[in-house]
Amino acid sequence: MSLKSANEYSISSLLAGEVNVGQSVCVKGWVRTRRDSKAGISFLMVHDGSCFDPIQVVASKNLSNYEQDVLHLTAGCSIIVDGELVKSLGKGQAFEIQAKQIIVVGFVDDPDTYPISPKHHTVEYLREHAHLRPRTNIIGAVTRIQNCVAQAIHRFLDDNGFYWIHTPIITASDCEGAGELFRVSTLDLLNLPRKENTNAIDFSQDFFGRETFLTVSGQLEVEAYCLAMSKVYTFGPTFRAENSNTTKHLAEFWMIEPEIAFADLEDVAVLAENLLKYIFKTVLATYSDDMNFFVQHVDKEAINRLQKILDAPFVQMEYSDAIKTLEKVNDRFEFKVEWGSDLQTEHERYLTEVVTEGRPVIVQNYPKEIKAFYMRMNKDNKTVAGMDILVPGIGEIVGGSQREERLSELDKRLDALKIDKKNLWWYRDLRRYGSVPHAGFGIGFERLVGYVTGVANIRDIVPFPRVPNHAEF
Amino acid sequence: MSLKSANEYSISSLLAGEVNVGQSVCVKGWVRTRRDSKAGISFLMVHDGSCFDPIQVVASKNLSNYEQDVLHLTAGCSIIVDGELVKSLGKGQAFEIQAKQIIVVGFVDDPDTYPISPKHHTVEYLREHAHLRPRTNIIGAVTRIQNCVAQAIHRFLDDNGFYWIHTPIITASDCEGAGELFRVSTLDLLNLPRKENTNAIDFSQDFFGRETFLTVSGQLEVEAYCLAMSKVYTFGPTFRAENSNTTKHLAEFWMIEPEIAFADLEDVAVLAENLLKYIFKTVLATYSDDMNFFVQHVDKEAINRLQKILDAPFVQMEYSDAIKTLEKVNDRFEFKVEWGSDLQTEHERYLTEVVTEGRPVIVQNYPKEIKAFYMRMNKDNKTVAGMDILVPGIGEIVGGSQREERLSELDKRLDALKIDKKNLWWYRDLRRYGSVPHAGFGIGFERLVGYVTGVANIRDIVPFPRVPNHAEF
């Protein structure tokens, strides 16, 4: 069996009409379905991951291995097809392949028990078979869209002069206090070193000579690069050891965190709006087949929602004004709001779905009590320069802030929050040596892809989800 | 102080001549040096990270804050300059800025102790100040090049139909046996749960309900996506808990791992050669100033080396032939080789520096005993379809293989190596359901950037290196 062919094409290029009818072509992929006509012709739908649609391969009984191989093909078998690209007479696609040779590369052991049979499977069932689920319509489409979103993020930021910085995954500090942490260690659990005459663990004997954890955010470290390179971002995995079994939480997820020097809250709000619109525009322009699938089978608003966001500028709203608006309709909400409340998803959705009728809302200047230590104190001494971008359907999709660049103000906050300044010596240094106003935001990558596709459970976005009690594969 | 200016430009765009002489411009950045003339003119070199060179700002005593501010500017101070772009009369750069206004955004506390003074610092010293070192010439250049390399990798693979897959960082299996692992856990070390009537730790009570570690490679998981999407890759952090204090080892580093379906060893060797050449070409075309700095101050061969690789095809060589060649000159080597030996850096360098006179060498088909379980067994039953790409200066830069796609052969290897098949049930499944020949390789990102720049110690490539006893910042 030779793997090489001079006429090899991806199915996407054939269906896109990039090859002339009549030409010899070779495709390599997996059978999704087989249908046999009484006249001794088999119709195979073959996919290779390159686009949503499979291509139809027409195999006649004249093929030398028709009886022996073709009639035994089932969902999941891998084949190499040599044939002629022809116009399709049936409805649906414009092109199909008239097979001249079909080589079966791999059959399916016991097709009756193959987990990805052509019938409909629930997403819950597919999660149990995460190693095979990219072969399905839905997870294949998610995979193409998540790649499109990720590539769009890199291209947009690279084209705009941002540098991608690899901030550390293993860290010695829980600076954000953003939740429970995973410990990283090489200590022998059956023989833990103790500090002399105590029961306390002696982490000086651990791999890094101290207690270390998985990072919750690369922001603090990327600020150091921002204050030298001007425009930077992180795009990497972050971790939360929260025992949350919801459709929105993962223990391991990727975040994008741009950071700009000489910038204020407004600058990063503009950047976030432009970035989101660029992503949505790219997805709609590039993957309309996959998006149409989501509209038909997952969320009929999937395309409209993105289109609507593209059509109008985001609405800016002060937190205080948002609260006034929400207080008037407090009886709608499970959690009643007042000034000082953190906004829940129900409030966020009301603002962007009802108040602005589907336009995203940038809520700004939150009470300092509900935001992190690093956000810049406003003149009122009550609010900080933080912003969240809210979108219909899910609420917050972006969280950002102008950072506190004044050392005296930062120290006040650290003291008030009883955060140990010693660990943050280097972060404080950044405020001592040519400090500048700077600002940034974070986007959870999987939630963003969930938003784009309409797929409700984040466990169906990431290939092999990590959640409480699950670390299979 | 207003941060906004309609005439704001990056220093790179001004020095590249994208703005007309005579135009009003605004730049924002950090002072590298200040020199005062007797005539009451100060010359400031200002950088903003956008390119290697700082721009010269000419500030005369006519500025209202000349005495009060300008004459107190030191290295590291942040400023906003409004002025006119003029032709530079001095040698060096073509353009400079005649300042009309200089706003000092942030002074430097106690300039005498500012760690990044304009004098030369050793890389060892700079590592102690990793939060400030991107302000130096060398680390600024490394940061631009590493971004360029990373973006080139994404663009090349995206343009060639590959999907970026986020394989898990936290994993329950040490499938590769690639080294010691970091444990990830939320168990309370002072109160570890034990299995009933034993001293053994009860990991069923840990966050994931089992013992988990940081991944050493995303390859096995990305193979699952390859066998559905055809062309995929990982680009993410991987971990080794090896106690190696060398210039080449990090406990945390990023890897790129492309994987192609319906492909053999030759296909991925071609892909790797094309990818490397694309990266080198992009760097040379885009960052010649930074590369010239490396030539002048770090490694005078930095540009020649890349250029030479671009100029000729890589050389293919069988492992057995490589051994025959090396055996003839065994007296040159600290470690003598014979058939069955793993190649050391000294042997790899001899092959690519002496034997092929600087051309990269793709060594193929290694003895099975020195390669991982997943590499495809060759017909001789002695060697496996693995390949390493060797380059002058460092030796191995790429390691890849065709994967064993035949379940019976895979099981033979797992049994021979006493690897528990239970944990690999899903990996074995991939060989039961439409298995296809597939192949891939891995590139260590930081080593690649070290190779491109000539920077000898990998700790100067990654922003905040993680090595034994070091997890600062």
Side-chain angles (χ1 to χ4, degrees):
Chain A
M1 176 184 71
S2 165
L3 293 170
K4 315 284 184 228
S5 164
N7 303 315
E8 186 180 340
Y9 293 98
S10 68
I11 292 171
S12 70
S13 62
L14 295 182
L15 294 182
E18 293 170 17
V19 176
N20 290 332
V21 164
Q23 199 176 309
S24 289
V25 296
C26 170
V27 299
K28 301 168 178 175
W30 290 266
V31 174
R32 192 160 270 153
T33 58
R34 189 193 88 233
R35 184 169 59 81
D36 306 319
S37 82
K38 285 178 188 155
I41 297 176
S42 294
F43 301 92
L44 307 170
M45 298 305 283
V46 179
H47 70 96
D48 68 357
S50 64
C51 56
F52 181 80
D53 284 316
I55 195 163
Q56 177 158 286
V57 172
V58 183
S60 88
K61 62 183 174 191
N62 299 330
L63 292 174
S64 61
N65 61 342
Y66 183 75
E67 295 276 339
Q68 189 197 331
D69 287 342
V70 177
L71 285 181
H72 295 94
L73 288 173
T74 58
C77 292
S78 51
I79 60 176
I80 298 178
V81 178
D82 280 301
E84 183 185 333
L85 189 70
V86 298
K87 278 218 153 133
S88 181
L89 299 177
K91 50 188 171 175
Q93 286 164 3
F95 308 100
E96 61 190 28
I97 298 174
Q98 193 74 46
K100 291 190 174 138
Q101 184 186 39
I102 293 180
I103 300 170
V104 181
V105 180
F107 276 107
V108 163
D109 278 11
D110 190 6
D112 291 342
T113 62
Y114 177 52
I116 312 294
S117 62
K119 67 167 189 165
H120 177 77
H121 301 288
T122 64
V123 286
E124 291 77 17
Y125 170 86
L126 291 177
R127 263 172 239 150
E128 305 288 312
H129 305 277
H131 59 310
L132 301 172
R133 67 178 179 166
R135 302 175 179 200
T136 63
N137 276 330
I138 184 167
I139 302 299
V142 165
T143 303
R144 281 181 293 275
I145 300 289
Q146 69 80 25
N147 177 69
C148 178
V149 171
Q151 304 287 355
I153 290 166
H154 278 308
R155 287 197 190 225
F156 177 87
L157 292 169
D158 187 32
D159 289 347
N160 282 282
F162 286 76
Y163 302 115
W164 184 21
I165 306 297
H166 292 167
T167 49
I169 308 299
I170 299 171
T171 172
S173 52
D174 168 24
C175 291
E176 269 220 65
E180 291 184 55
L181 301 173
F182 288 105
R183 175 181 291 108
V184 174
S185 171
T186 56
L187 290 179
D188 178 358
L189 295 185
L190 295 177
N191 192 15
L192 288 168
R194 311 280 171 171
K195 286 189 192 159
E196 213 173 333
N197 301 323
T198 73
N199 195 35
I201 309 295
D202 181 7
F203 286 106
S204 74
Q205 295 187 44
D206 207 345
F207 188 90
F208 295 106
R210 59 173 75 191
E211 197 175 7
T212 53
F213 306 96
L214 291 179
T215 186
V216 296
S217 159
Q219 180 203 312
L220 302 194
E221 286 92 353
V222 95
E223 283 187 49
Y225 269 69
C226 180
L227 296 179
M229 310 301 294
S230 296
K231 297 201 272 185
V232 294
Y233 67 108
T234 73
F235 189 167
T238 55
F239 304 85
R240 298 280 187 285
E242 279 173 72
N243 195 6
S244 301
N245 270 295
T246 77
T247 58
K248 288 169 70 173
H249 288 87
L250 292 169
E252 171 182 322
F253 59 98
W254 286 57
M255 274 223 288
I256 302 101
E257 298 173 292
E259 189 81 25
I260 326 178
F262 297 97
D264 60 18
L265 196 59
E266 192 188 335
D267 293 314
V268 286
V270 169
L271 177 72
E273 177 170 349
N274 290 341
L275 174 59
L276 288 177
K277 286 182 169 176
Y278 178 85
I279 294 166
F280 298 161
K281 208 180 293 183
T282 305
V283 168
L284 291 177
T286 322
Y287 286 100
S288 55
D289 289 352
D290 291 294
M291 290 304 295
N292 280 324
F293 167 80
F294 291 121
V295 167
Q296 284 161 37
H297 295 279
V298 174
D299 176 351
K300 66 182 188 338
E301 286 303 307
I303 291 180
N304 284 344
R305 186 170 46 227
L306 300 186
Q307 196 55 57
K308 213 165 164 185
I309 290 182
L310 289 177
D311 288 345
F314 293 7
V315 177
Q316 302 213 1
M317 192 182 288
E318 291 294 306
Y319 167 86
S320 300
D321 294 334
I323 292 294
K324 279 180 208 148
T325 304
L326 293 168
E327 277 180 322
K328 287 184 198 145
V329 289
N330 247 337
D331 51 353
R332 286 170 170 257
F333 301 128
E334 187 186 345
F335 298 95
K336 314 300 173 195
V337 299
E338 56 181 10
W339 200 96
S341 305
D342 206 354
L343 300 185
Q344 307 291 327
T345 302
E346 58 176 338
H347 312 127
E348 294 174 340
R349 291 186 58 175
Y350 179 82
L351 291 172
T352 179
E353 291 170 13
V354 180
V355 177
T356 66
E357 296 177 329
R359 282 170 64 188
V361 180
I362 307 174
V363 179
Q364 306 177 121
N365 300 316
Y366 286 80
K368 65 183 177 195
E369 287 77 11
I370 57 173
K371 290 291 182 186
F373 75 87
Y374 51 71
M375 296 196 185
R376 193 179 199 273
M377 187 65 68
N378 288 324
K379 282 188 188 138
D380 61 17
N381 222 21
K382 284 164 58 186
T383 61
V384 290
M387 63 116 182
D388 288 338
I389 300 186
L390 317 179
V391 290
I394 58 168
E396 183 197 331
I397 197 166
V398 173
S401 69
Q402 185 169 347
R403 320 308 188 186
E404 183 55 79
E405 90 281 13
R406 300 160 299 185
L407 185 61
S408 58
E409 292 292 329
L410 179 67
D411 281 351
K412 267 191 234 165
R413 291 288 290 153
L414 292 174
D415 290 341
L417 296 168
K418 298 194 172 60
I419 297 173
D420 188 356
K421 280 188 280 211
K422 247 191 337 225
N423 273 339
L424 287 171
W425 66 271
W426 60 272
Y427 189 74
R428 294 178 66 248
D429 256 12
L430 299 173
R431 278 71 186 163
R432 297 174 59 208
Y433 302 130
S435 186
V436 306
H438 59 292
F441 59 83
I443 303 183
F445 177 70
E446 291 82 359
R447 284 193 194 173
L448 174 63
V449 176
Y451 187 69
V452 168
T453 57
V455 170
N457 194 320
I458 201 163
R459 299 178 195 204
D460 303 320
I461 300 296
V462 73
F464 301 101
R466 297 306 186 227
V467 295
N469 287 311
H470 289 286
E472 293 86 3
F473 308 103
Chain B
M1 176 184 71
S2 165
L3 293 171
K4 317 282 184 229
S5 163
N7 304 316
E8 186 179 341
Y9 293 97
S10 67
I11 292 170
S12 69
S13 62
L14 296 182
L15 294 180
E18 293 171 15
V19 175
N20 290 332
V21 164
Q23 200 176 307
S24 288
V25 297
C26 170
V27 299
K28 301 168 179 177
W30 290 266
V31 173
R32 193 159 269 153
T33 59
R34 190 193 88 233
R35 184 170 59 81
D36 306 318
S37 82
K38 285 179 189 154
I41 298 178
S42 294
F43 300 92
L44 307 170
M45 298 305 283
V46 179
H47 69 97
D48 66 359
S50 64
C51 56
F52 181 80
D53 283 316
I55 195 163
Q56 177 160 284
V57 172
V58 183
S60 90
K61 62 182 173 191
N62 299 331
L63 292 175
S64 61
N65 62 341
Y66 183 76
E67 296 276 339
Q68 189 198 328
D69 287 342
V70 176
L71 286 181
H72 295 94
L73 288 173
T74 57
C77 292
S78 51
I79 60 176
I80 298 178
V81 178
D82 281 300
E84 183 186 334
L85 189 71
V86 298
K87 279 217 156 137
S88 181
L89 300 176
K91 50 187 171 178
Q93 288 165 0
F95 307 102
E96 61 189 28
I97 297 174
Q98 194 73 47
K100 292 190 173 140
Q101 184 186 36
I102 293 179
I103 300 170
V104 181
V105 180
F107 276 107
V108 163
D109 278 11
D110 191 7
D112 292 342
T113 62
Y114 177 53
I116 312 294
S117 61
K119 67 168 188 166
H120 176 78
H121 301 286
T122 64
V123 287
E124 291 77 17
Y125 170 87
L126 291 177
R127 263 172 238 151
E128 306 288 311
H129 304 277
H131 60 310
L132 300 172
R133 68 178 178 165
R135 303 175 179 201
T136 62
N137 276 331
I138 184 167
I139 303 298
V142 165
T143 303
R144 281 181 293 275
I145 300 288
Q146 69 82 25
N147 176 69
C148 178
V149 171
Q151 303 288 354
I153 290 166
H154 278 307
R155 287 197 190 224
F156 177 87
L157 292 169
D158 187 33
D159 289 347
N160 283 280
F162 285 76
Y163 302 115
W164 185 21
I165 307 297
H166 292 167
T167 49
I169 308 299
I170 299 171
T171 172
S173 52
D174 169 24
C175 291
E176 269 221 66
E180 290 185 59
L181 300 174
F182 289 105
R183 175 181 291 108
V184 175
S185 171
T186 57
L187 291 178
D188 179 359
L189 295 185
L190 295 177
N191 191 16
L192 289 169
R194 310 280 171 170
K195 286 187 194 162
E196 212 173 332
N197 300 323
T198 73
N199 194 36
I201 309 294
D202 181 8
F203 286 107
S204 74
Q205 295 187 42
D206 208 344
F207 188 90
F208 295 107
R210 58 173 76 191
E211 197 174 7
T212 53
F213 306 95
L214 291 178
T215 186
V216 297
S217 159
Q219 180 203 313
L220 302 194
E221 285 92 353
V222 96
E223 282 188 50
Y225 269 69
C226 180
L227 296 180
M229 310 301 294
S230 297
K231 296 201 271 184
V232 295
Y233 68 107
T234 72
F235 189 166
T238 55
F239 304 85
R240 298 280 187 286
E242 279 173 73
N243 196 5
S244 301
N245 271 295
T246 77
T247 59
K248 288 169 68 173
H249 288 88
L250 292 169
E252 172 183 321
F253 60 98
W254 286 57
M255 274 224 287
I256 302 101
E257 298 173 292
E259 188 82 24
I260 327 179
F262 297 98
D264 60 17
L265 196 58
E266 191 188 337
D267 293 314
V268 287
V270 169
L271 177 72
E273 177 169 349
N274 290 341
L275 173 60
L276 288 177
K277 286 182 169 174
Y278 178 86
I279 294 166
F280 298 162
K281 208 179 292 183
T282 305
V283 168
L284 291 178
T286 323
Y287 286 100
S288 55
D289 289 352
D290 291 292
M291 289 304 295
N292 280 325
F293 167 81
F294 291 121
V295 167
Q296 283 161 36
H297 295 278
V298 175
D299 176 352
K300 64 183 189 336
E301 287 303 308
I303 291 180
N304 284 344
R305 188 170 44 227
L306 300 186
Q307 195 57 56
K308 213 165 164 185
I309 290 182
L310 290 177
D311 288 345
F314 293 7
V315 177
Q316 304 214 358
M317 191 183 288
E318 291 294 305
Y319 167 86
S320 299
D321 294 334
I323 291 294
K324 279 180 207 148
T325 304
L326 293 168
E327 277 180 322
K328 288 185 197 142
V329 288
N330 247 336
D331 53 351
R332 287 169 168 255
F333 301 129
E334 187 186 344
F335 297 95
K336 312 302 173 195
V337 298
E338 57 181 8
W339 200 94
S341 304
D342 206 355
L343 299 185
Q344 307 290 327
T345 302
E346 58 176 338
H347 312 125
E348 294 174 340
R349 291 186 58 174
Y350 180 81
L351 291 173
T352 179
E353 291 170 13
V354 180
V355 177
T356 66
E357 295 177 328
R359 283 170 64 188
V361 180
I362 306 174
V363 179
Q364 307 178 117
N365 300 315
Y366 286 80
K368 64 182 179 197
E369 287 78 11
I370 58 173
K371 289 292 181 184
F373 75 88
Y374 51 71
M375 296 197 186
R376 192 179 200 274
M377 186 65 67
N378 288 323
K379 281 187 186 139
D380 61 17
N381 221 22
K382 284 163 59 187
T383 61
V384 290
M387 64 114 181
D388 288 338
I389 300 185
L390 318 179
V391 291
I394 58 168
E396 183 198 330
I397 196 166
V398 172
S401 68
Q402 183 169 346
R403 318 308 187 184
E404 183 55 79
E405 90 280 12
R406 300 161 298 185
L407 185 61
S408 58
E409 292 292 329
L410 179 67
D411 281 351
K412 267 191 234 165
R413 290 289 289 151
L414 292 174
D415 290 341
L417 295 168
K418 298 195 171 60
I419 297 174
D420 188 357
K421 281 188 280 210
K422 246 190 340 223
N423 272 339
L424 286 171
W425 66 271
W426 60 272
Y427 189 74
R428 294 178 66 248
D429 256 12
L430 299 174
R431 277 72 185 162
R432 297 174 59 209
Y433 301 130
S435 187
V436 306
H438 59 292
F441 60 83
I443 304 181
F445 178 70
E446 292 81 0
R447 284 193 194 174
L448 175 63
V449 176
Y451 188 68
V452 168
T453 57
V455 170
N457 195 320
I458 201 164
R459 299 178 195 203
D460 303 321
I461 300 295
V462 72
F464 302 100
R466 297 309 187 223
V467 295
N469 287 312
H470 289 286
E472 293 87 2
F473 308 101

